[in-house]
Amino acid sequence: MEDNGRTARKRAQILEAARPVFLRNGYVGASMDEVAALASVSKQTVYKHFTDKEQLFTSIIMDTTAQVEGLTKMITATLDDDGDLARDLRALARGFLGAIMEPELLRLRRLVMAEAERFPDLGRTWYERGFERSLKTLAAAFGRLGERGVLRLDDPELAAEHFVGLLLWIPVNKAMFRGGNDLYAEADLDRLAEAAAGAFLRAYASPDTA
Amino acid sequence: MEDNGRTARKRAQILEAARPVFLRNGYVGASMDEVAALASVSKQTVYKHFTDKEQLFTSIIMDTTAQVEGLTKMITATLDDDGDLARDLRALARGFLGAIMEPELLRLRRLVMAEAERFPDLGRTWYERGFERSLKTLAAAFGRLGERGVLRLDDPELAAEHFVGLLLWIPVNKAMFRGGNDLYAEADLDRLAEAAAGAFLRAYASPDTA
């Protein structure tokens, strides 16, 4: 048990050190020597935990999908609370936007896309276990609102895709095409969230709701 | 004049050969030797037309923004023809989707994003002269429909951003995270275009129009 704890801590320590190395230099430019130096371990220790650079890279990327748990809980808690739908959708939109516009996640996203031809399975798996999982949670919550007659929809998954499209296309793509991460102030994100929630409601709220 | 023609042809020939080299190997991996060999010119000739690898890369990327002309003409022609708005929006959505899901453009998009930290100005300029220009054309056309009372909108630019978000977020992002380009059949794109146009109309058509 004690040993497992130490192994897990060492592994986390290496991942923590490796993430900025890959984000800064890309997959090809990332050096296992630099990772070992930054993690303050020997190169043998790095290879004991990760058999090669590809496995280390995969672990860095896939570890981030754990962050989706927080997002899915927020979706369910916000939309299932029987509150004011317009207010809830705005809050949800703002939370979603804040999570995805987080600077390190944007850089990671860019890195996964950049390597999508080299590691197509990794890109697909990251998308499926990360973004797509929160999309499915959102679709399920919209489905329940549809059954209660609050939203008017035949296809909850399509409605979820439209919600995130209204919300994310503009800010995420602008961010993807620029370096730097100072693109939006908090007030801009508030405004984007409010506009997306409003358009979604006009497209999907039942006439009785609106 | 004759010389100018020959110079332009030679330049185009080098760009044509260089594009797949950069798309396949990325900026760092692209070799000027390979470009010269594929263009069937000497390396000196490559350097006569493009002072260095960075300038060649910039030219490849920026040359593609010329393709936006076709898209902006289509937007104006489709939305200004006083036809059936629902039908016109579907046609426009389908045209937009077909243009952006073009396999080489998707790979180029991935490459520009991948290099956005190294070349932030290039990424921003490509976005502004390319996608953002078509977005402005779309906003202007929506603005005219707003003035005629066909659409109900305060902010034509926001409406244009919502239209492309509804349409493009899902297919473009799925494509970005996978290698390969066989993600969507024509029928899938038809369905996506129809769904996006429908949701946009529900959110933005005047009650008199719908």
Side-chain angles (χ1 to χ4, degrees):
Chain A
M1 289 294 279
E2 173 62 6
D3 257 8
N4 280 348
R6 223 175 321 176
T7 302
R9 271 199 309 279
K10 195 67 91 179
R11 186 179 182 280
Q13 180 181 333
I14 297 167
L15 282 175
E16 196 68 26
R19 202 181 308 126
V21 174
F22 280 85
L23 285 175
R24 198 167 48 238
N25 306 315
Y27 178 78
V28 171
S31 132
M32 296 296 262
D33 284 311
E34 194 183 350
V35 170
L38 282 173
S40 308
V41 300
S42 70
K43 212 163 145 185
Q44 289 96 303
T45 304
V46 175
Y47 282 109
K48 212 181 77 190
H49 289 268
F50 305 95
T51 54
D52 55 22
K53 186 156 105 169
E54 181 173 342
Q55 212 216 315
L56 176 57
F57 180 59
T58 303
S59 302
I60 291 169
I61 302 300
M62 293 311 300
D63 264 34
T64 62
T65 60
Q67 297 170 2
V68 172
E69 297 304 332
L71 205 54
T72 59
K73 275 190 194 122
M74 179 191 68
I75 292 167
T76 311
T78 310
L79 290 185
D80 286 356
D81 82 340
D82 272 312
D84 171 342
L85 181 62
R87 188 202 59 198
D88 293 348
L89 279 176
R90 272 201 306 273
L92 178 64
R94 187 61 183 82
F96 226 100
L97 204 50
I100 206 163
M101 293 297 284
E102 202 272 310
E104 190 169 281
L105 185 63
L106 287 176
R107 288 218 300 280
L108 206 65
R109 183 185 175 82
R110 194 183 285 132
L111 179 61
V112 177
M113 286 180 174
E115 298 299 337
E117 305 261 358
R118 198 193 317 264
F119 303 115
D121 288 346
L122 178 62
R124 193 176 57 242
T125 310
W126 194 64
Y127 182 81
E128 286 170 0
R129 295 212 199 144
F131 192 78
E132 201 161 76
R133 230 166 72 219
S134 56
L135 209 55
K136 278 191 204 310
T137 306
L138 185 59
F142 282 165
R144 289 188 292 275
L145 290 169
E147 279 160 24
R148 285 167 44 201
V150 178
L151 293 180
R152 182 188 46 180
L153 40 77
D154 306 320
D155 183 342
E157 293 208 9
L158 181 66
E161 295 183 352
H162 282 170
F163 181 79
V164 295
L166 287 165
L167 181 65
L168 301 178
W169 175 265
I170 291 299
V172 172
N173 278 296
K174 274 194 188 156
M176 284 292 105
F177 282 116
R178 295 168 187 241
N181 300 296
D182 53 352
L183 200 51
Y184 289 99
E186 296 290 315
D188 298 324
L189 297 183
D190 291 345
R191 196 181 41 79
L192 285 168
E194 182 162 347
F200 181 81
L201 270 180
R202 294 199 302 281
Y204 281 103
S206 294
D208 323 339
T209 315
Chain B
M1 290 293 279
E2 173 65 4
D3 257 9
N4 281 346
R6 224 176 321 175
T7 302
R9 270 200 309 280
K10 194 67 90 180
R11 186 178 181 282
Q13 180 182 331
I14 296 167
L15 282 174
E16 195 69 26
R19 201 180 309 125
V21 174
F22 280 85
L23 285 175
R24 199 168 45 239
N25 306 315
Y27 178 77
V28 172
S31 134
M32 296 295 261
D33 285 310
E34 193 182 351
V35 170
L38 282 173
S40 308
V41 301
S42 71
K43 212 164 145 183
Q44 289 96 304
T45 304
V46 174
Y47 282 109
K48 212 181 75 191
H49 290 267
F50 304 94
T51 54
D52 54 22
K53 187 156 106 172
E54 180 173 342
Q55 211 215 315
L56 176 57
F57 180 59
T58 303
S59 302
I60 290 170
I61 302 300
M62 293 311 300
D63 264 33
T64 61
T65 60
Q67 297 169 4
V68 172
E69 297 303 331
L71 205 54
T72 58
K73 276 191 192 120
M74 179 190 70
I75 292 167
T76 311
T78 308
L79 290 185
D80 286 355
D81 83 340
D82 271 314
D84 171 343
L85 181 62
R87 188 203 58 201
D88 292 348
L89 279 176
R90 272 202 305 274
L92 179 64
R94 188 61 183 81
F96 227 101
L97 204 50
I100 206 164
M101 293 297 284
E102 201 273 310
E104 191 169 280
L105 185 63
L106 287 176
R107 289 218 300 279
L108 206 65
R109 181 184 177 83
R110 194 184 285 132
L111 178 61
V112 177
M113 287 180 175
E115 298 299 335
E117 304 261 0
R118 198 192 317 263
F119 302 115
D121 288 346
L122 178 62
R124 194 177 55 243
T125 311
W126 194 65
Y127 181 81
E128 285 169 1
R129 294 212 198 143
F131 193 78
E132 202 161 74
R133 230 165 73 219
S134 56
L135 208 56
K136 279 190 203 311
T137 307
L138 186 59
F142 282 165
R144 290 189 291 276
L145 290 170
E147 279 159 25
R148 285 167 45 203
V150 178
L151 292 180
R152 182 188 45 180
L153 40 77
D154 307 319
D155 183 342
E157 293 208 10
L158 181 67
E161 295 184 352
H162 281 170
F163 181 79
V164 296
L166 287 165
L167 182 64
L168 301 178
W169 174 265
I170 291 299
V172 172
N173 278 295
K174 273 194 189 157
M176 283 294 103
F177 283 115
R178 295 167 187 243
N181 301 296
D182 52 351
L183 201 51
Y184 289 98
E186 295 291 313
D188 298 324
L189 297 182
D190 291 345
R191 194 181 43 77
L192 285 168
E194 183 162 346
F200 180 82
L201 271 180
R202 292 199 303 280
Y204 281 102
S206 294
D208 323 337
T209 315

